[in-house]
Amino acid sequence: MSDFAVLVSGNGSNFQAIAEQTAGKGHNLKCMICDRKDAYAFKRAEKLGIKAYYVTYFRRSREEAEKEIYEILQKENVQLVVLAGFMRLLTPFLVDRYKGRIMNIHPALLPKHPGTHGIPDSFNSKDPELGITIHFVDYGMDTGPIIVQKSFTRTFDESIEEIEAKIHKLEHTYYPPTILSVLDKMDK
Ligand code: GAR
């Protein structure tokens, strides 16, 4: 059994899918950590009964904020860190302390369309295939070893809302089982 934490910045739909689909599967989601006080993810955490921490990045360096995150992760005995819409670039401080044990999801087929606008950038491209990427985190922005990618063929008559819904559906379907398989491997 391994314990993990989810880091989010906003809505938290992936966090909820992860909480619901990993419950009772042999690993513990110890807590959610969020860098935005007003994030809807806090309401989800309350409903789900999952401990939630707010860590501010306001007027402090990323390393300072990450020190606070690291203390929480240590206190909660977390072995795997799961980024789910966490819109901050991690520094070597945290990446080195959790080497190979930080995962991220991105709403595009990396290395295409990294950054915070993965969905509109994908939509506005001429790419015939769109999709999601689940990967381990290194020092870069949405870079690091890819674990899995899932895609669909677009018809070019879909709206951005329809594309967004398809991408989120892929995320909610594939992120939780991928996290579980990484946790299972960590136990061996
Ligand atoms: C998700 O689409 C996730 O892939 C994306 O943020 C969204 C968060 O939604 N992450 C990135 O763009 C990372 N570069 P959620 O808060 O509803 O889970």
Side-chain angles (χ1 to χ4, degrees):
M1 176 187 288
S2 292
D3 291 344
F4 67 106
V6 178
L7 271 59
V8 310
S9 290
N11 179 25
S13 70
N14 277 284
F15 158 59
Q16 181 167 341
I18 293 162
E20 289 173 348
Q21 294 177 48
T22 61
K25 302 270 169 67
H27 306 284
N28 285 330
L29 171 48
K30 296 296 291 289
C31 61
M32 180 277 265
I33 302 174
C34 182
D35 65 314
R36 285 214 1 241
K37 207 194 276 183
D38 58 349
Y40 187 66
F42 281 110
K43 292 210 169 66
R44 295 186 194 267
E46 202 180 323
K47 274 194 202 143
L48 291 159
I50 290 168
K51 202 189 289 182
Y53 292 92
Y54 165 59
V55 174
T56 186
Y57 275 64
F58 186 64
R59 288 195 179 149
R60 68 206 298 213
S61 66
R62 284 187 290 150
E63 285 84 357
E64 268 179 271
E66 284 179 14
K67 268 181 199 154
E68 192 179 332
I69 292 173
Y70 183 66
E71 276 162 25
I72 295 168
L73 297 174
Q74 292 294 101
K75 188 176 81 183
E76 296 286 353
N77 201 24
V78 164
Q79 284 104 49
L80 178 75
V81 178
V82 172
L83 309 185
F86 187 67
M87 297 305 191
R88 304 276 180 180
L89 185 64
L90 297 181
T91 76
F93 177 85
L94 200 58
V95 175
D96 290 344
R97 281 166 178 77
Y98 275 89
K99 222 174 187 65
R101 293 185 294 138
I102 307 177
M103 297 172 69
N104 183 41
I105 189 159
H106 186 71
L109 295 171
L110 293 171
K112 285 183 187 166
H113 318 304
T116 54
H117 301 102
I119 293 177
D121 289 351
S122 296
F123 179 78
N124 291 325
S125 75
K126 297 213 164 20
D127 302 348
E129 296 278 313
L130 304 182
I132 64 159
T133 305
I134 298 168
H135 64 100
F136 288 111
V137 169
D138 64 12
Y139 302 142
M141 167 83 79
D142 298 316
T143 59
I146 290 175
I147 305 166
V148 69
Q149 291 187 303
K150 294 288 171 188
S151 64
F152 61 91
T153 305
R154 69 196 293 194
T155 58
F156 285 98
D157 60 5
E158 298 133 313
S159 66
I160 188 160
E161 289 79 15
E162 287 168 321
I163 292 286
E164 189 165 15
K166 281 188 183 179
I167 287 176
H168 286 316
K169 189 159 187 238
L170 282 183
E171 293 188 320
H172 301 160
T173 304
Y174 290 103
Y175 206 15
T178 307
I179 293 163
L180 283 172
S181 77
V182 169
L183 286 163
D184 286 344
K185 281 187 197 130
M186 285 172 58
D187 282 351
K188 284 177 189 152

